[in-house]
Amino acid sequence: MLVCKIFAAALLWPALATAEVLSLSSLHWTLRNENGSIVIPAKVPSQAHLDLLDAGIITEPLLGINDFTQRWVVNDNWTYTADLTPLTRQISRDARALLVFYGIDTIANITVAGHPVAWVSNQFQQYVYDVTDFIAEPAHRNTNITVALESAYYYGLNVTSRPDSEISPTGDFEYAGIRQYIRKTQSDFGWDWGPAFVPSGIFKPAYLVTLTPPRTGRELGAETNATVVASAPASHPLLASGGSVFIEENSLEISKVGQTTITAPNQNADWLVNVTLGVRSVVGSDFPTLTIAIPELRVSSGPLRVRAIPVSTNTTTFVSASFKIPDKVPERWFPHNLGTPKLYNFTITLTLPQSSHSHSFEPPQAVSFVTRSGFRTVQLVQTAYPAAEAAALGITPGDQWHFEVNGRAFYTLGTNIIPFDPFYARMTSAQVRWVLESAVKSGQNMLRVWGGGIYQPSDELTGGYDFYAACDELGIFAWSELIFSDALYPINDWLLASVAPEVRQNVRRINRHPSNAQWAGGNEIEGIVIGVNQTLANGTHYLDEFQTLFGEFLHDIVLEEESSVAYTDCSTTSGVLSLDPYEIRYDNKTDGFIYGNGERYNYDASQAFNYSTYPRSRFMNEFGFHSQPSFYSWEEVLLSPDDFSFNSTVVASRDHHPPAGSLAFPNPNAPQGQAQMTSAVELWLPTPNTTDTNQTFAQWCWSTQVFQSLNMVSEIAFYRRGAGEGENNLGALVWQLNDIWQGASWSAIEHSGRWKVLQYGMADIFRPVVIYPFWTPDNATLEVVVTSDRWETVHGSAALTWYDWSGTFIDSSMLPFTVPSLNNTLILAIQELDNIVPTNHNATDVWLYLNITAQVDNNKTVTHEQFFAPVPLSTANLVDPEIQVTPGPDLTFTLSAKGGVAPFTWLDHPAGTVGFFADKATGLPSNGFILVPGIDRTVQFIPNPELSTVAHPDPADFVVRSLWNNTHL
């Protein structure tokens, strides 16, 4: 290990190899079903449904009830075939050809030139095979590459029919009881927010990489030790491959010297930069070196000796090197709401001098590439609160559970990510980036990558689209999870042998991303296994299996591959008894203490705002309520005018909550989920009912979103307030951010990218300093609280103004406040409704407008507003707001209430547009606001031109609505 050296002059590099990285996308592919009745053109990357769609065999899978009518696709076997000749005809006789798949979904036999290559069964692994000899000697003149995919459904049925198979004693979704045996996206088999298409295909990019031994020095006219000034390093490790070396895997991890996953990093220690490359090479070297350089910092490690690299294209050789950088040299990476997400370009060069026994005159071979990363520490603090500290601060005893970035605790604000589409292969970086940008615009600093989906990719070349690199750039943490969810997984040698390389590959890949915050073993399984252990006679069997897989096997693999972020056994967890050795707490708890993190799902809408039903947790990693997508989203998939009704067969069939637990269609349990949304609207909002059936349907869909936002904003405010309460809550992650299709779900953003009411609600309640009225009906108490997530003390003032629903001013007061770091301040507490409502006014006729102004971050002014209605809006005496919309230049709109007050004034942008509405003065997201007569609002629609199919929307096509439209045209 060497301390870094500062650049003194231009670097000299050995001669760089010429890349031969050939995309299999360039081939002419065909797709064939089992009996040959369907043979159509195909693509790679793709999935069978998508190629069938392109060929006109099926319609768009998301239309109508195609999730039911297209089940025949799941039941068939599909084979992708292409002639390799266009890629192989130029390969020289001394070259080696590596077949590289970055993802196959899922069960497949691979053949090349008529020769069997491999049987694969893990969607999450990348596969590399030397196919040189097969290409050189094709069987029966067969020059094809073939990937024959077996139905994952039938494969699962076959496996689970074995007498030794173990069936999880838990409920399931549509294709029930088989997914535990298939290393595939778990929600492909159905979930309570999405369809079950069980897709198959070569769903990620694939390549043929050719490696050629170097020409001798005499052939080059060069001396044995000749060096030349380097050409530009490749922009990606894959593109640096070819020539003589293939970079199969790469890991760049930045930590503090002495840091581990379970100890607090020394913030003054040097940085430790560790690089690991997995390579295959046609040239051997006894004394290879790795050089790590950061040009912007004028820092280089110089050549660092690594282990010998043999000539081998059938196995992978891993080489590692690390060096130190003084703490103060680089600027640190922070999430966007706490600082700057600073990134640096790292140039990594692997040099292979000829082996000592070589008698040729080969110049040293080298591969060089650029990758981006940042310097930060992130720690998940899980140890017990010191008793004296807890007593002094009024903290409820128990364990801590929060994140620290660069040595400082921060409040985690965010949501949960699910797969972006049922068909991974058609997702684009632009679509994903819009979701991530939307999260940032709404103030989120962390996304949880849900463990029932897929390991999100790092870049387009290997993953099809970009996720983690975009998180790095945008400054948003990603809580990563291994793909296990809501089931008990049987332990067997086959599963462990398949999972081990899957986990190693993905942890190594994601190491370089400063946005990665932790690794969790899976989703919600710890709570399930605790319940099974308590209720089933053989429950200890399942607990032992869980402990083996999540408490030992996966834990050990992750910690062997990284040392800079924490591992937890499960997303929702009771925490640990010990970190060293790693001991999960399970149900070993002391009454009255708080452990681990929490979640809340309560579908009794009467309890939506009952704070006593909200968990007092250190960290809330899941909580949500479902809503319908907008009328615009339904227009994308409904095929008949009769379908545009809240409980139509098609609309209800897309409500998978609670799940069917079988292939029964439509979901026999959907009426429960529909009723939950219906009762929520009827309890808290005016019940939609007009003479226009389309308007009524649109208002019903929108009203479910209004309730969802009201409910989630209430919970977020409560959990944020908890930072200064006994629970010392430091995290709130809403379930969920994005949608996988057009149907009832917990999402804040619809499948098309359209923001729901909740997305604007989060943009409001996730502001750095917020005011919120906490109303407790049981004791008729109103508490007005100001909460801050800033690291410094915040000073400001609050204005509390009473109006009636006609917009008439009644009374106002000003209250100064001071909020300590990561804390809250109670600025008003009143009991009894008679003391709260202004004198001589009825509770149904008035409402309270609350707004604050505060100084943060070196005198930056921030504002926030909320409103409080003493009675549910379903019983409030609302007045026709007579909203007037005045269009302006650049898609600006000024909204005026010419009649009464309009709670949840809402603008819809037209079909074919993607974007959001922002307050014209502040630039912050703004929609679903309260509009008061005499106080106009001007907002601007900010379109996403890359995703919008309508480039220049007509202002006349924008639609305004409010709660008044629930009952009036």
Side-chain angles (χ1 to χ4, degrees):
M1 185 182 300
L2 298 178
V3 176
C4 68
K5 297 187 294 187
I6 304 299
F7 279 126
L11 291 172
L12 296 179
W13 302 99
L16 292 174
T18 302
E20 289 290 338
V21 179
L22 310 171
S23 174
L24 298 192
S25 300
S26 65
L27 299 177
H28 296 290
W29 290 87
T30 60
L31 177 67
R32 179 186 187 277
N33 70 337
E34 179 72 17
N35 65 14
S37 60
I38 298 175
V39 181
I40 57 174
K43 300 188 301 291
V44 167
S46 189
Q47 285 157 306
H49 285 81
L50 302 180
D51 291 314
L52 292 168
L53 172 62
D54 289 345
I57 303 296
I58 63 173
T59 57
E60 164 58 48
L62 297 185
L63 285 177
I65 59 171
N66 280 350
D67 58 314
F68 171 68
T69 61
Q70 292 179 3
R71 284 179 179 172
W72 64 269
V73 181
V74 179
N75 299 338
D76 213 334
N77 298 325
W78 299 95
T79 298
Y80 282 85
T81 303
D83 183 2
L84 270 173
T85 303
L87 301 185
T88 60
R89 62 165 58 103
Q90 301 299 325
I91 297 178
S92 62
R93 290 182 177 273
D94 58 350
R96 305 301 297 181
L98 301 180
L99 183 60
V100 182
F101 290 103
Y102 285 102
I104 295 177
D105 183 11
T106 293
I107 315 298
N109 276 295
I110 305 167
T111 61
V112 169
H115 298 283
V117 175
W119 177 81
V120 298
S121 58
N122 190 315
Q123 183 184 7
F124 312 123
Q125 285 189 35
Q126 66 182 55
Y127 298 105
V128 180
Y129 307 104
D130 186 336
V131 295
T132 310
D133 297 338
F134 301 148
I135 293 171
E137 298 183 9
H140 310 294
R141 298 185 179 180
N142 184 335
T143 58
N144 290 337
I145 176 175
T146 300
V147 179
L149 295 144
E150 181 181 351
S151 164
Y153 173 42
Y154 283 129
Y155 171 83
L157 291 178
N158 290 336
V159 172
T160 53
S161 67
R162 290 170 52 99
D164 60 347
S165 67
E166 178 183 299
I167 306 302
S168 177
T170 56
D172 215 337
F173 301 90
E174 286 170 75
Y175 290 88
I178 62 174
R179 60 187 175 86
Q180 299 93 317
Y181 285 89
I182 307 174
R183 296 309 298 148
K184 175 175 172 58
T185 298
Q186 300 289 272
S187 59
D188 281 353
F189 300 93
W191 221 263
D192 54 359
W193 35 251
F197 285 103
V198 198
S200 62
I202 307 170
F203 78 110
K204 283 187 178 181
Y207 300 90
L208 191 69
V209 178
T210 62
L211 304 181
T212 307
R215 289 181 292 166
T216 67
R218 289 193 180 94
E219 290 174 311
L220 293 170
E223 298 298 326
T224 302
N225 61 352
T227 59
V228 296
V229 177
S231 59
S235 59
H236 190 280
L238 175 64
L239 299 181
S241 302
S244 300
V245 180
F246 171 55
I247 301 177
E248 183 175 345
E249 294 188 57
N250 71 98
S251 171
L252 167 63
E253 184 178 25
I254 300 173
S255 59
K256 286 289 191 174
V257 171
Q259 181 180 348
T260 71
T261 61
I262 62 174
T263 58
N266 179 352
Q267 296 300 320
N268 298 316
D270 289 345
W271 294 102
L272 183 66
V273 179
N274 182 276
V275 172
T276 298
L277 301 181
V279 302
R280 303 189 188 210
S281 179
V282 294
V283 59
S285 179
D286 292 336
F287 306 108
T289 62
L290 267 175
T291 303
I292 310 163
I294 311 173
E296 183 179 343
L297 296 176
R298 298 183 61 80
V299 165
S300 173
S301 67
L304 303 172
R305 287 277 295 273
V306 296
R307 62 175 293 190
I309 296 176
V311 175
S312 177
T313 53
N314 286 308
T315 59
T316 310
T317 300
F318 286 92
V319 296
S320 298
S322 56
F323 81 114
K324 300 175 184 177
I325 297 178
D327 171 61
K328 300 298 183 183
V329 171
E331 181 182 336
R332 296 196 183 202
W333 184 97
F334 281 91
H336 70 95
N337 69 325
L338 297 174
T340 301
K342 176 64 178 176
L343 296 173
Y344 293 95
N345 287 334
F346 289 70
T347 302
I348 298 171
T349 303
L350 174 65
T351 306
L352 289 79
Q354 62 183 354
S355 297
S356 57
H357 53 77
S358 172
H359 299 290
S360 65
F361 295 94
E362 303 167 5
Q365 294 296 302
V367 289
S368 184
F369 64 91
V370 174
T371 190
R372 283 173 73 74
S373 190
F375 293 82
R376 63 89 181 93
T377 66
V378 57
Q379 182 189 11
L380 175 57
V381 183
Q382 303 177 74
T383 53
Y385 279 101
E389 177 186 345
L393 298 177
I395 295 174
T396 305
D399 292 346
Q400 305 174 79
W401 213 100
H402 66 267
F403 291 93
E404 294 185 359
V405 61
N406 295 320
R408 303 188 72 175
F410 68 98
Y411 201 97
T412 302
L413 302 165
T415 51
N416 291 257
I417 285 281
I418 64 169
F420 296 96
D421 191 87
F423 305 102
Y424 178 104
R426 69 177 175 185
M427 285 307 300
T428 67
S429 291
Q431 292 169 299
V432 173
R433 188 178 180 90
W434 170 247
V435 174
L436 300 181
E437 288 178 341
S438 297
V440 170
K441 292 179 191 302
S442 61
Q444 300 178 45
N445 58 26
M446 183 177 286
L447 300 174
R448 176 179 159 234
V449 183
W450 174 68
I454 197 164
Y455 299 96
Q456 290 295 336
S458 295
D459 54 69
E460 294 181 3
L461 275 176
T462 62
Y465 64 83
D466 174 17
F467 178 85
Y468 277 99
C471 290
D472 295 342
E473 178 188 339
L474 295 170
I476 188 164
F477 274 120
W479 158 335
S480 302
E481 291 186 6
L482 309 180
I483 308 302
F484 300 89
S485 182
D486 287 301
L488 301 182
Y489 288 80
I491 299 298
N492 56 65
D493 292 342
W494 178 88
L495 175 72
L496 300 183
S498 179
V499 166
E502 160 199 324
V503 173
R504 291 188 191 278
Q505 289 174 2
N506 284 286
V507 172
R508 289 170 188 150
R509 172 177 60 83
I510 292 171
N511 273 344
R512 78 171 175 91
H513 297 290
S515 57
N516 187 39
Q518 75 142 332
W519 281 103
N523 171 65
E524 295 184 320
I525 307 174
E526 183 188 303
I528 292 173
V529 78
I530 290 173
V532 166
N533 183 51
Q534 294 171 342
T535 56
L536 295 186
N538 65 337
T540 55
H541 166 76
Y542 298 101
L543 182 63
D544 290 344
E545 286 195 318
F546 178 91
Q547 172 61 30
T548 298
L549 182 58
F550 297 98
E552 299 165 20
F553 184 77
L554 296 173
H555 167 271
D556 293 351
I557 289 176
V558 171
L559 267 59
E560 287 168 7
E561 299 297 340
E562 60 91 7
S563 60
S564 58
V565 300
Y567 170 89
T568 55
D569 68 295
C570 188
S571 58
T572 306
T573 177
S574 298
V576 296
L577 290 169
S578 167
L579 287 170
D580 186 17
Y582 185 69
E583 295 183 34
I584 303 168
R585 179 173 293 281
Y586 294 116
D587 211 25
N588 298 299
K589 302 175 183 178
T590 299
D591 288 343
F593 283 43
I594 298 177
Y595 302 102
N597 56 18
E599 58 182 65
R600 178 187 188 267
Y601 293 101
N602 189 326
Y603 299 109
D604 178 357
S606 68
Q607 301 302 305
F609 308 102
N610 181 349
Y611 306 123
S612 69
T613 69
Y614 293 4
R616 289 193 176 271
S617 174
R618 306 292 191 207
F619 192 108
M620 291 293 291
N621 63 289
E622 282 193 42
F623 54 99
F625 199 95
H626 48 318
S627 69
Q628 295 283 11
S630 67
F631 189 91
Y632 295 91
S633 281
W634 284 120
E635 284 187 307
E636 297 167 7
V637 295
L638 298 183
L639 302 176
S640 166
D642 294 338
D643 294 336
F644 287 82
S645 173
F646 193 80
N647 288 308
S648 72
T649 299
V650 180
V651 169
S653 76
R654 287 171 175 251
D655 189 339
H656 290 191
H657 167 71
S662 71
L663 292 175
F665 183 90
N667 176 16
N669 297 321
Q672 295 180 51
Q674 295 290 97
Q676 290 163 0
M677 290 183 285
T678 300
S679 63
V681 172
E682 292 174 341
L683 274 171
W684 299 102
L685 302 170
T687 300
N689 184 24
T690 72
T691 57
D692 185 315
T693 57
N694 273 352
Q695 176 176 318
T696 299
F697 178 53
Q699 292 297 126
W700 262 113
C701 293
W702 177 72
S703 294
T704 66
Q705 295 186 17
V706 172
F707 171 79
Q708 177 193 35
S709 182
L710 280 169
N711 189 186
M712 292 304 97
V713 166
S714 171
E715 288 198 49
I716 293 166
F718 180 86
Y719 302 138
R720 288 190 65 179
R721 179 184 183 180
E725 306 295 321
E727 61 266 33
N728 192 209
N729 180 295
L730 289 177
L733 303 182
V734 175
W735 185 271
Q736 66 204 58
L737 179 59
N738 61 308
D739 232 334
I740 197 170
W741 73 335
Q742 302 88 341
S745 83
W746 291 250
S747 75
I749 300 175
E750 298 177 16
H751 182 256
S752 66
R754 182 182 294 270
W755 288 20
K756 286 184 175 180
V757 179
L758 173 58
Q759 179 66 8
Y760 287 99
M762 290 191 298
D764 182 72
I765 199 64
F766 281 166
R767 291 192 188 183
V769 185
V770 297
I771 188 170
Y772 194 81
F774 291 91
W775 166 244
T776 306
D778 291 349
N779 59 6
T781 299
L782 175 65
E783 296 178 312
V784 179
V785 176
V786 178
T787 301
S788 170
D789 67 8
R790 296 296 86 188
W791 281 331
E792 74 277 8
T793 298
V794 170
H795 305 278
S797 60
L800 279 61
T801 306
W802 283 97
Y803 293 91
D804 66 20
W805 288 113
S806 296
T808 302
F809 170 84
I810 299 173
D811 190 18
S812 184
S813 60
M814 293 288 294
L815 299 172
F817 62 81
T818 298
V819 186
S821 171
L822 287 174
N823 215 314
N824 69 74
T825 295
L826 177 68
I827 64 171
L828 179 68
I830 311 178
Q831 280 193 309
E832 300 303 332
L833 201 57
D834 289 344
N835 298 326
I836 296 170
V837 174
T839 304
N840 299 324
H841 288 82
N842 192 304
T844 58
D845 296 327
V846 296
W847 63 281
L848 177 64
Y849 175 61
L850 310 94
N851 70 306
I852 58 172
T853 301
Q855 304 299 314
V856 302
D857 303 339
N858 297 320
N859 292 321
K860 175 185 174 183
T861 299
V862 295
T863 61
H864 184 247
E865 65 179 28
Q866 282 286 335
F867 76 92
F868 165 69
V871 298
L873 293 174
S874 56
T875 60
N877 290 325
L878 300 181
V879 176
D880 184 355
E882 302 177 34
I883 299 173
Q884 177 180 300
V885 181
T886 305
D890 301 321
L891 297 178
T892 57
F893 301 88
T894 298
L895 290 88
S896 308
K898 299 301 182 181
V901 176
F904 288 98
T905 301
W906 180 262
L907 268 176
D908 272 317
H909 51 89
T913 59
V914 176
F916 73 103
F917 292 95
D919 183 272
K920 191 66 174 67
T922 67
L924 297 173
S926 182
N927 206 354
F929 43 76
I930 193 161
L931 187 64
V932 182
I935 307 176
D936 294 351
R937 303 263 193 166
T938 300
V939 296
Q940 181 176 20
F941 180 65
I942 311 296
N944 181 318
E946 195 169 359
L947 298 182
S948 297
T949 57
V950 177
H952 303 288
D954 186 340
D957 292 333
F958 288 73
V959 175
V960 66
R961 70 179 80 243
S962 73
L963 292 178
W964 185 257
N965 300 110
N966 280 11
T967 52
H968 300 79
L969 296 178

